[in-house]
Amino acid sequence: MAESTTGGSGLGRDDGECGAIAAEAASTGMSPAIVILGASALATARRVRERYPGARIHGLSGRVAEVDRIYREFAEHLRGLYRAGTPIIALCAAGIVIRSLAPVLAEKGAE
């Protein structure tokens, strides 16, 4: 596994998985939404966006600026993206994502 000199974030790693995921997203015609809660995640979101052509950064109103799309309520925004079939890259704690999406999952074991 080759690793670049971009630091310890793991985003510089070229193990093929990121490329495969990006290719799959491109083949579906759906650009991922990179969802962040605050400005501290913005630099990482921008690095992730470099790997996913067409991806848009979504940021919480009043907490982050300079994003492609502003949203007001995290859980409802995530559920809307999920219902629309938009690939979601959430740069936050997994627990909040799971709690937000649980009500709209049809088959929790499969999704």
Side-chain angles (χ1 to χ4, degrees), residues 78-103:
L78 234 53
R79 287 189 291 266
L81 291 168
Y82 179 82
R83 286 182 192 117
T86 303
I88 300 168
I89 301 169
L91 300 182
C92 59
I96 190 171
V97 175
I98 293 165
R99 285 189 303 273
S100 297
L101 292 178

Side-chain angles (χ1 to χ4, degrees), residues 32-37 56-60 69-105:
I34 304 166
V35 183
I36 62 174
L37 290 168
R56 298 286 177 251
I57 300 173
H58 298 225
L60 182 60
R69 182 167 179 200
I70 296 287
Y71 64 88
R72 294 182 186 271
E73 207 280 319
F74 180 81
E76 190 54 43
H77 187 67
L78 234 53
R79 287 189 291 266
L81 291 168
Y82 179 82
R83 286 182 192 117
T86 303
I88 300 168
I89 301 169
L91 300 182
C92 59
I96 190 171
V97 175
I98 293 165
R99 285 189 303 273
S100 297
L101 292 178
V104 296
L105 296 177

Side-chain angles (χ1 to χ4, degrees), residues 2-79:
E3 187 162 314
S4 74
T5 57
T6 59
S9 71
L11 290 174
R13 197 170 290 150
D14 183 15
D15 59 3
E17 186 175 343
C18 287
I21 294 168
E24 183 177 340
S27 72
T28 65
M30 297 294 294
S31 296
I34 304 166
V35 183
I36 62 174
L37 290 168
S40 63
L42 189 55
T44 300
R46 287 179 176 150
R47 287 194 311 272
V48 170
R49 183 175 57 187
E50 290 174 8
R51 295 271 189 150
Y52 298 91
R56 298 286 177 251
I57 300 173
H58 298 225
L60 182 60
S61 177
R63 293 187 64 189
V64 64
E66 299 179 30
V67 294
D68 302 309
R69 182 167 179 200
I70 296 287
Y71 64 88
R72 294 182 186 271
E73 207 280 319
F74 180 81
E76 190 54 43
H77 187 67
L78 234 53
R79 287 189 291 266

